[in-house]
Amino acid sequence: MSTSTTNFRFEGSDMNRKLLMGHPSGLFVLFFTEMWERFSYYGMRAILVLFLTSAIIDGGWAWSREDALGLYGTYTMLVYFSPILGGILADKIFGYRRAVAIGALIMTLGHAAMAFDTPWSLYLGIGLLVAGNGLFKPNITSIINGVYKNAQDKKDGAFTIFYMGVNAGAFLGILLCGYIGESVGWHWGFGLAGVFMFLGMIQFWLAQGIFGRIGLSPSETITFDEEHKENGENTAVEKEEIVSSKVQRDRYIVVGILAFFTIFFWAAFEQAGGSMTIFASDYTNRVLEGNSALAFRIANTLLTVIPLLIITYVLLQLFKITFSKYRVSNLALGLSFAIIWGIVIYMLNEQFSQENTEIPASWFGILNSFYIIAFAPLVSKIWESKYNPPATVKFGMGLVLLGLGFGVLAYGSASIPQGAQTASVSIIWLILAYLLHTLGELSLSPVGLSYVSKLVPAAKIGLMFGLWYIAVGLGNKLAGTMGGLIDKITAAYDMSTFFLIFTVVPIVAGLLVMSLTKVMNKLMHGVR
């Protein structure tokens, strides 16, 4: 791991310019902060629908699938709507760094509320999670934009690495909160998510100095510059490119078009936490015996331990760079990993001590995150090479791959009778579907964040990330609404028809956005 500077000019402190995987060390402070936030979000999300639809005797609330998916869709929609307000507050008042820390604290309180088994605590917890996420989500990506302000060619790769951190958290959250929730108790799973949100907040707050003036509030920025000028330090920041109103209008149009197609992507992709979880729970053969059970235990051990070893290695490399200056922050991060390793060892020991294995329904959600951890570095290298395609081609590829994943599920569910409430199809169809969905996500989601940051003026970046997440939120609400129709569609037609809807729509949308490549390139006015 190189710790020297490069030809690229990265913003922030001198320590931030020491490199890890070819990127500033501060990117990995954000990497781990986002990782624990995503742990909490996806860990809670993985068990929410299962908890609501489980029988009362199993500790659930025995809601109907339609009602549970309706709440799920509303919650995920609001999670993506709230960043618009959080972006404005950060731009005008808090600054990005303080907004991230306050948001993390509010989300910690939200998870703590959900650890109690009462309706008021559930709704209070969801409200706090929505509010905290609004402050956290758009502003941590805005800090990345500040670090790479004068290293635009590295930005696609940076967001892809950051996305690897997102999915490392999602992977561990789904795996461990899902396991604890389904085997120990639902509210233990909800509470576990809050522990890591708190440690992530401590880690970020104590290491934020690595970003220098990036992400400070307007008043703090003035004070920072004055103090460093008195010490003879140069705090000048390269002036932002000044473009005409027509050029900027065209670039806003590009963001709007990409956001529109993003709605179609997330409306289908977010079936992962809804109808695909129900498909895993009620229509998939999850009970394994004999050699099949042993094979799964071995595969699950490798699937769990190898990514965790990779992320732990990245952690140790970051320690080498930052421990001397940010010791307590590093200790908080190290404590979180010690707890994770303890829970993982306990879980694997329990699974190997059982004669038969029943795969938790939430387990399939980790496949998406595992595939991203495995493929994100490769995709990042492609985006930084001469084979880097235009934004519209990346978006189109993402939508088409997503549709093909649902095509696999449509084929795999062809044997399920019309109106059936349960079935026992092979797990292979979900495994293949998640692979295609993940490759589609890598082609679209991190690239979308990168292009928003390239096409929008720095003064509006928090606001525009908020608007971008509104599009994602609309997709999430549509996902809950469409997923809630699973019983009606399977009763009137069959399960294959339900999944074919999510096959056709994304593929058509993907081909359409690819056909706009020439027009979109012209509207971007030189942005690549």
Side-chain angles (χ1 to χ4, degrees):
M1 298 291 176
S2 170
T3 58
S4 62
T5 58
T6 75
N7 294 327
F8 292 98
R9 180 185 165 189
F10 300 113
E11 300 300 318
S13 68
D14 289 340
M15 182 167 284
N16 189 50
R17 295 188 179 97
K18 295 180 178 181
L19 302 187
L20 176 57
M21 294 173 61
H23 288 269
S25 53
L27 175 66
F28 294 88
V29 172
L30 300 174
F31 175 104
F32 285 112
T33 305
E34 178 74 3
M35 175 177 149
W36 291 132
E37 188 276 330
R38 291 290 86 183
F39 180 103
S40 69
Y41 172 73
Y42 280 99
M44 175 274 208
R45 197 195 74 163
I47 58 177
L48 179 62
V49 171
L50 292 173
F51 159 67
L52 292 172
T53 57
S54 290
I56 293 175
I57 196 172
D58 295 324
W61 285 3
W63 284 22
S64 70
R65 292 172 178 175
E66 186 171 2
D67 288 344
L69 287 168
L71 177 62
Y72 169 82
T74 300
Y75 163 62
T76 54
M77 175 187 71
L78 292 174
V79 158
Y80 288 102
F81 273 22
S82 57
I84 183 68
L85 180 58
I88 294 171
L89 289 173
D91 283 337
K92 302 295 185 184
I93 303 172
F94 294 129
Y96 303 135
R97 280 152 51 175
R98 184 167 291 162
V100 167
I102 295 172
L105 176 60
I106 293 172
M107 284 188 285
T108 300
L109 296 175
H111 287 294
M114 292 189 72
F116 297 95
D117 189 9
T118 64
W120 71 265
S121 62
L122 176 74
Y123 292 120
L124 174 64
I126 286 176
L128 290 171
L129 290 173
V130 168
N133 182 83
L135 286 167
F136 186 99
K137 195 168 188 67
N139 298 312
I140 196 165
T141 45
S142 296
I143 296 172
I144 296 177
N145 180 67
V147 172
Y148 287 83
K149 184 175 181 179
N150 299 303
Q152 295 291 319
D153 290 345
K154 296 285 286 184
K155 192 177 281 185
D156 281 10
F159 272 104
T160 303
I161 289 174
F162 179 71
Y163 214 64
M164 183 178 168
V166 167
N167 284 277
F171 170 87
L172 292 169
I174 294 169
L175 179 74
L176 300 182
C177 292
Y179 174 75
I180 295 296
E182 291 191 62
S183 63
V184 179
W186 300 112
H187 295 279
W188 286 99
F190 292 139
L192 180 65
V195 172
F196 294 101
M197 186 71 261
F198 177 75
L199 290 172
M201 175 191 69
I202 296 297
Q203 181 259 158
F204 171 78
W205 183 255
L206 295 177
Q208 62 175 306
I210 199 169
F211 302 110
R213 72 198 300 277
I214 299 167
L216 295 173
S217 68
S219 60
E220 288 172 330
T221 300
I222 294 171
T223 303
F224 180 94
D225 289 346
E226 289 176 348
E227 290 177 351
H228 284 72
K229 282 178 182 177
E230 290 176 2
N231 295 330
E233 299 176 33
N234 180 20
T235 60
V237 177
E238 189 173 307
K239 289 185 178 180
E240 184 181 0
E241 173 196 12
I242 298 175
V243 299
S244 69
S245 59
K246 179 184 181 303
V247 168
Q248 191 55 63
R249 183 199 65 192
D250 288 349
R251 289 177 176 176
Y252 281 138
I253 290 172
V254 172
V255 173
I257 292 172
L258 294 178
F260 175 74
F261 284 100
T262 294
I263 295 173
F264 290 95
F265 180 87
W266 292 107
F269 184 87
E270 283 299 328
Q271 298 304 313
S275 63
M276 287 176 68
T277 297
I278 289 173
F279 182 78
S281 177
D282 298 338
Y283 297 94
T284 303
N285 179 19
R286 298 182 289 111
V287 178
L288 305 177
E289 301 175 351
N291 290 334
S292 296
L294 178 61
F296 171 78
R297 290 171 193 151
I298 294 171
N300 188 47
T301 300
L302 295 174
L303 198 62
T304 304
V305 171
I306 291 175
L308 191 51
L309 284 172
I310 293 171
I311 302 300
T312 303
Y313 173 75
V314 175
L315 172 82
L316 294 175
Q317 296 304 311
L318 181 64
F319 278 10
K320 289 181 181 179
I321 298 173
T322 62
F323 196 86
S324 61
K325 189 167 185 179
Y326 302 111
R327 185 172 286 106
V328 180
S329 170
N330 282 203
L331 289 173
L333 188 55
L335 173 62
S336 65
F337 269 74
I339 296 172
I340 283 290
W341 274 107
I343 297 173
V344 164
I345 292 169
Y346 168 78
M347 178 190 73
L348 295 175
N349 181 64
E350 286 291 305
Q351 289 179 348
F352 272 96
S353 67
Q354 298 169 358
E355 185 175 343
N356 297 326
T357 295
E358 181 175 357
I359 305 172
S362 59
W363 178 87
F364 294 93
I366 74 169
L367 295 173
N368 170 244
S369 303
F370 171 75
Y371 291 141
I372 281 184
I373 294 169
F375 290 108
L378 173 62
V379 173
S380 177
K381 291 297 182 184
I382 294 173
W383 291 169
E384 294 179 15
S385 75
K386 63 181 181 179
Y387 301 108
N388 183 19
T392 45
V393 174
K394 293 173 184 172
F395 263 61
M397 288 167 52
L399 285 158
V400 169
L401 287 165
L402 178 67
L404 292 175
F406 281 106
V408 168
L409 288 177
Y411 178 80
S413 60
S415 61
I416 299 176
Q418 179 180 349
Q421 290 292 303
T422 59
S424 189
V425 302
S426 171
I427 64 173
I428 191 65
W429 307 117
L430 277 169
I431 292 171
L432 291 174
Y434 273 112
L435 173 61
L436 290 165
H437 288 185
T438 301
L439 295 175
E441 183 184 8
L442 280 172
S443 298
L444 184 144
S445 186
V447 172
L449 294 174
S450 178
Y451 273 93
V452 170
S453 69
K454 292 177 182 179
L455 293 164
V456 172
K460 298 286 177 60
I461 195 71
L463 172 64
M464 291 307 296
F465 273 130
L467 290 171
W468 179 264
Y469 287 125
I470 281 183
V472 178
L474 288 172
N476 275 261
K477 179 57 180 174
L478 193 57
T481 301
M482 291 294 296
L485 298 176
I486 184 171
D487 287 337
K488 293 179 179 177
I489 293 174
T490 53
Y493 302 98
D494 53 30
M495 186 65 72
S496 282
T497 302
F498 176 79
F499 286 127
L500 277 173
I501 295 171
F502 297 103
T503 302
V504 173
V505 173
I507 289 176
V508 170
L511 295 175
L512 180 58
V513 72
M514 281 193 278
S515 72
L516 298 175
T517 298
K518 287 186 178 180
V519 175
M520 296 278 274
N521 285 346
K522 185 177 179 181
L523 290 172
M524 283 193 277
H525 294 280
V527 171
R528 284 180 51 82

